[in-house]
Amino acid sequence: MGFKNPSLFMIFSSLCILYSFLKLTKADPWLLVNQTSPSSNVSGGNWQLLQSSVGVSAMHLQLLPNNKVVIFDRTDFGSSNISLPPGSFCPKNDCTAHSVLYDVVSNTLRPLHVLTDTFCSSGALDPNGTLIQTGGFNEGDHVIRTFAPCGADSVACDWNELNATRLVDRRWYATNQVLPDGRIIILGGRRVFTYEFYPKNDALNNTKSFYLRFLVESRDPEENNLYPFLHLLPDGNLFIFANKKSILFDYKRDIVLKQFPLIPGDDKRNYPSTGSSVMLPLRLSGRWPPVVEVLICGGAPAGAFMKSDKMKVFVEASRTCGRLRVNDANPQWLMEAMPMPRVMSDMILLPTGDVIIINGAANGTAGWEDAVNPVLSPILYSVNAQLSQRFTVLSPSKVPRMYHSTAILLPDGRILVAGSNPHTTYVFTGLYPTELSLEAYNPYYLDAKFNSLRPSIISVESGSTVSYGSRFGVSFSVSLFRQGTVS
């Protein structure tokens, strides 16, 4: 399984350069990361408005290997604020676009054609960097769509729907994860308690779905088990978390290998009590398999969705994070308190190995008109800091981003932030209007005072493909030290 796109390869090699930079200091890389990001430095980030409007509310963002970002929304709410090109095909007689392609380098965009409803669908990149987006709402709930990275003729790239291949079960609020063999597992969804695989292959028994009792056991009257958290572990098994429960799952044999303790407290963590999760960086020296830690932050108390959706009573969101060493002999949750409550946030691993928690609301849950009090300030979670120093509140944005907001890490180290539409249609008046703007948050490590520490790529010696186990060389320079090469 190789990376066949040079731009994806450059992203991959940049991670190696970060490691080599740390290696040049002759210090423990993990300690140095911690030393270069004390609270006196990390608050120096800033916000940048990239586009006042991209025309669609960014329910979904996906970075492609060629430094372009696919942005898309649902298709069942009426017109968007960007038109399709004159003379092009208008799906459902709607000549506005519900998806755009954003070019990170040129800060430009163009409209795309998405045919079926992608409302709360799910996706993942395959090994070649093609986006596989599955399911959604209405006529889109069994649909498999692809978007391949654009070549030289970027105008020719658009969404493609696989009419001859469909999902076995309806997938709405499901979760996708790419697997070591190149397949993608698609798990869960509203009132669906199964998983299936893409691509469909009779020889691999991939043309049917498989029942997973855990999805039934983790459901409550509010559901709270949609968009389950999936993390692929170094041993090839899956960590699956939904509501308050989690398991270690062998998808090859369809066996639950372990049940982990319930995360402590009354807070629920998955949609509609939407928290967020990351698997923390792996330390690849020493023991094998490496220590694997999962971090889950935010959510909402039991009953919060019913109160917000039916009574418009918006209870305070969860203030807690849970951290679990998955491969300990007796795993136990370590609970920590964030500086403020948060629901519907996004969590992103940074190049430093730390985590940024961004977007979301302080009261309520996910859903139309179901949250208030947007949280404007991101939080930095310093993975290796002492407990009392883990959280740092960062510079606030001026833009509220709650339901259907999104954020991703760009190859240049910025955070791309977009979306927020608390309404069933586009509404541009009132307290929490639909947000069409596109911003970048520039973390502290992009500050000019760190220029002497930031590696610059000089050349890459490899060809166009990087495969697992292969070697490649990268020449780089760090002005504070010297030019070097790492293989």
Side-chain angles (χ1 to χ4, degrees), residues 92 114-118 121-123 132-146 159-172 176 186 196 198 200:
K92 307 175 189 175
V114 59
L115 304 183
T116 54
D117 197 355
T118 51
S121 55
S122 53
I132 311 298
Q133 193 73 20
T134 57
F137 190 50
N138 293 325
E139 81 291 350
D141 63 4
H142 283 73
V143 172
I144 302 171
R145 311 165 192 82
T146 66
W159 284 98
N160 175 47
E161 297 202 352
L162 307 184
N163 295 322
T165 306
R166 291 173 63 82
L167 297 169
V168 177
D169 293 328
R170 176 196 197 213
R171 301 293 171 187
W172 189 29
N176 297 16
I186 308 154
E196 59 185 287
Y198 172 86
K200 302 298 179 185

Side-chain angles (χ1 to χ4, degrees), residues 13 16-24 455-462 471-478 481-487:
S13 64
C16 299
I17 287 178
L18 176 64
Y19 175 76
S20 64
F21 148 59
L22 297 172
K23 197 172 181 181
L24 278 173
S456 297
I457 297 174
I458 298 172
S459 63
V460 179
E461 304 153 9
S462 68
R471 297 179 66 88
F472 60 96
V474 179
S475 296
F476 62 94
S477 65
V478 180
F481 300 98
R482 62 185 183 275
Q483 182 174 326
T485 301
V486 63
S487 295

Side-chain angles (χ1 to χ4, degrees), residues 42 82 109 122 208 242 255 273 275 281 319 363 371 415 462 482:
V42 299
I82 185 171
L109 55 91
S122 53
K208 64 180 182 179
I255 296 173
S273 298
R319 291 177 175 266
N363 296 78
I415 309 296
S462 68
R482 62 185 183 275

Side-chain angles (χ1 to χ4, degrees), residues 175 187 212 214-215 218 224-231 238-249 258 260-265 267-271 273-278 294-299 321-324 326 333 335:
T175 301
L187 186 142
L212 182 60
F214 170 78
L215 295 172
S218 58
N224 283 323
N225 71 340
L226 302 178
Y227 279 140
F229 303 142
L230 266 64
H231 298 296
L238 287 172
F239 175 84
I240 306 176
F241 183 101
N243 199 324
K244 294 177 59 176
K245 298 183 177 183
S246 50
I247 58 172
L248 180 65
F249 184 60
K258 181 186 292 186
F260 296 99
L262 291 178
I263 191 169
D267 298 330
K268 308 304 182 86
R269 308 290 178 165
N270 295 79
Y271 184 94
S273 298
T274 304
S276 49
S277 177
V278 295
V294 170
L295 179 69
I296 295 173
C297 292
C321 293
R323 185 166 166 172
L324 182 72
V326 173
W333 289 96
M335 302 304 295

